[in-house]
């Protein structure tokens, strides 16, 4: 398989890089984050109306360009290189695929063309700290942070109990845990029940039918661009315990009862907001009887691949700035870049960044190939999910880091088996987050005293690395979830001497 970029893909990457090099310098970034919107609206107009980035991966029937996940990842890589503050991630990467997958024909016709043109921005609202769990990238089940409600949620320190009750070493009891929105109600490994969405107890967003429609009540925080998005895709719990499910609802920015407050963020280039909903009228995204958990989890690998590419771009930008600096900074009468210790440290970062770039490209290609296969067979997104978390296909040997678009049959023949993107996406994101953290740390260290100053852009990359780890990581949980999907740690059977009552017991 040809691993070279096509002319179209090279053109996308080159065009975005040229525009951002001129209009998204570190000085422009610092000015943009201080704006009420948290980004440069004029630059966003250029990226959306002239370059068509929000509709890059949308079908032409809805005003998009008909490209795929790989092309969107290439654009995100250049956005990450410039540390671009914009609604591109929440609109094109999170909201658009869900609207296309879950929306009715009328909803798609009404909303997707506006998203593709950049006239409407959107975002996904889930309880703070649960985005990767909702997307099936971490946790013990696809789209479910607590799986069946009885297992541990290791990243929170919360251990589950019967019906999802749990305690936390920090002092949360059953009531305190429920108030966080991570408590009860997880019902299935396929993401049904959606304990990350509130689980039927206090916390998260609750939905109830009223007056022939739906009303939402609750609060969520750390919603990307939540204070400016014209459309909110709100994950809400409904159905009680008997029919516990998570449904996505459409909420407009001017809906009565909605309060949006911009929050202080560690990474100012990713503006976040807290949403307060008090009996807010909402429209279900698709049939309200269906659980959105499996579709969220099916979208997750593509999201992870684009996030990985963006992190790679940020790491590469930090590395390039550091290499340029050590070439002009003199100490002891020579450039500090000539010292072997400095060379070795930068070489290590370079290897990590290039390895992460290869993983991100492959994950984006695999996600795009899988999406093409679904489109060819008219299969729903959730059809790619295995029946249980541990029966996903293992990563095949002899894979090619393909970056060119191919037809589904060719993709499978060259190593992108069905469901493989569900393993590659989280692994690529984990590797990219670690590469970005390493590059940002060396950037600050090798810039010396100037690297600690507010005026220097080194802190922007460092905050992006720390903020992305909090929002989309940590890396070890991404890898643990991928390992579970690949079946690397399947339960073993006790030896005969360990069996109780002569029966095999899995441990």
């Amino acid at each position: 398989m040809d691993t070279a970029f096509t002319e179209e893909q090279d053109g996308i990457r080159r065009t975005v890089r040229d525009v951002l090099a001129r209009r998204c310098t570190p000085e422009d970034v610092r000015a943009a984050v201080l704006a009420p919107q948290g980004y440069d609206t004029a630059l966003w107009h250029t990226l959306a109306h002239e370059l068509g980035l929000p509709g890059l991966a949308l079908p032409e029937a809805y005003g998009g360009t008909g490209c795929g996940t790989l092309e969107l990842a290439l654009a995100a890589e250049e956005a990450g290189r410039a540390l671009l503050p914009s609604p591109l991630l929440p609109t094109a990467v999170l909201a658009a695929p869900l609207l296309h997958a879950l929306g009715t024909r009328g909803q798609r016709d009404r909303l997707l063309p506006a998203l593709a043109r950049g006239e409407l921005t959107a975002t996904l609202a889930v309880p703070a700290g649960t985005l990767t769990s909702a997307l099936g990238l971490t946790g013990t089940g696809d789209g479910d942070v607590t799986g069946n409600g009885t297992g541990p949620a290791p990243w929170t320190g919360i251990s589950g109990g019967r019906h999802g009750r749990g305690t936390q070493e920090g002092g949360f009891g059953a009531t305190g845990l429920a108030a966080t929105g991570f408590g009860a109600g997880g019902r299935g490994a396929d993401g049904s029940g959606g304990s990350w969405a509130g689980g039927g107890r206090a916390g998260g967003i609750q939905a109830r039918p009223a007056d022939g429609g739906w009303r939402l009540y609750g609060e969520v925080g750390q919603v990307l661009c939540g204070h400016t998005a014209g459309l909110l895709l709100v994950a809400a719990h409904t159905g009680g315990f008997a029919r516990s499910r998570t449904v996505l609802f459409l909420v407009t920015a001017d809906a009565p009862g909605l309060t949006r407050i911009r929050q202080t963020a560690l990474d100012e280039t990713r503006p976040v907001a807290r949403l307060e909903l008090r009996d807010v009228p909402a429209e279900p995204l698709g049939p309200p009887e269906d659980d959105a958990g499996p579709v969220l989890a099916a979208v997750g690998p593509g999201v992870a691949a684009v996030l990985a590419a963006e992190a790679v771009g940020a790491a590469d930008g930090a590395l390039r700035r550091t290499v340029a600096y050590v070439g002009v900074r003199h100490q002891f009468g020579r450039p500090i870049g000539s010292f072997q210790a400095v060379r070795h440290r930068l070489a290590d970062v370079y290897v990590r960044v290039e390895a992460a770039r290869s993983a991100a490209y492959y994950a984006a290609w695999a996600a795009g190939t899988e999406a093409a296969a679904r489109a060819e067979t008219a299969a729903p997104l959730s059809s790619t999910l295995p029946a249980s978390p541990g029966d996903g296909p293992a990563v095949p040997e002899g894979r090619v880091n393909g970056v060119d678009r191919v037809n589904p049959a060719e993709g499978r023949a060259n190593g992108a088996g069905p469901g493989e993107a569900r393993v590659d996406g989280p692994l690529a994101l984990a590797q990219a987050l670690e590469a970005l953290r390493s590059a940002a740390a060396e950037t600050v260290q090798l810039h010396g005293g100037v690297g600690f100053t507010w005026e220097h852009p080194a802190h922007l990359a460092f905050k992006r690395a720390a903020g992305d780890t909090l929002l989309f990581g940590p890396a070890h949980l991404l890898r643990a979830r991928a390992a579970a999907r690949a079946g690397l740690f399947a339960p073993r059977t006790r030896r005969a001497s360990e069996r109780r009552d002569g029966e095999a017991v899995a441990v």
Side-chain angles (χ1 to χ4, degrees), residues 208-243:
R208 62 179 179 86
D211 302 327
W214 288 83
R215 298 276 177 167
L216 305 184
Y217 189 94
E219 179 179 317
V220 291
Q222 297 182 11
V223 179
L224 293 169
C225 291
H227 61 301
T228 59
L231 181 68
L232 305 172
L233 276 65
V234 181
H237 178 270
T238 189
F241 184 79
R243 298 188 60 203

Side-chain angles (χ1 to χ4, degrees), residues 298-326:
V299 168
V303 175
V306 176
L307 289 172
E310 187 188 47
V312 167
D316 187 66
L319 175 60
R320 289 174 182 270
R321 286 189 293 270
T322 306
V323 170
Y325 177 78
V326 299

Side-chain angles (χ1 to χ4, degrees), residues 367-377 406-408:
T369 299
E370 194 168 284
R374 284 195 303 266
E376 185 182 72
T377 60
V406 296
N407 62 63

Side-chain angles (χ1 to χ4, degrees), residues 330-393:
H330 284 67
Q331 189 68 32
F332 304 109
R334 55 190 292 193
I336 61 174
S338 64
F339 295 111
Q340 191 176 48
V342 174
R343 289 181 173 182
H344 285 178
R345 294 172 72 162
L346 291 177
D348 288 342
V349 174
Y350 176 79
V351 170
R352 293 190 184 99
V353 171
E354 290 304 311
R357 177 179 283 115
S358 295
Y361 287 168
Y362 185 86
W365 172 78
T369 299
E370 194 168 284
R374 284 195 303 266
E376 185 182 72
T377 60
L381 275 172
S382 56
S383 67
T384 60
L385 297 175
S388 63
D391 65 357

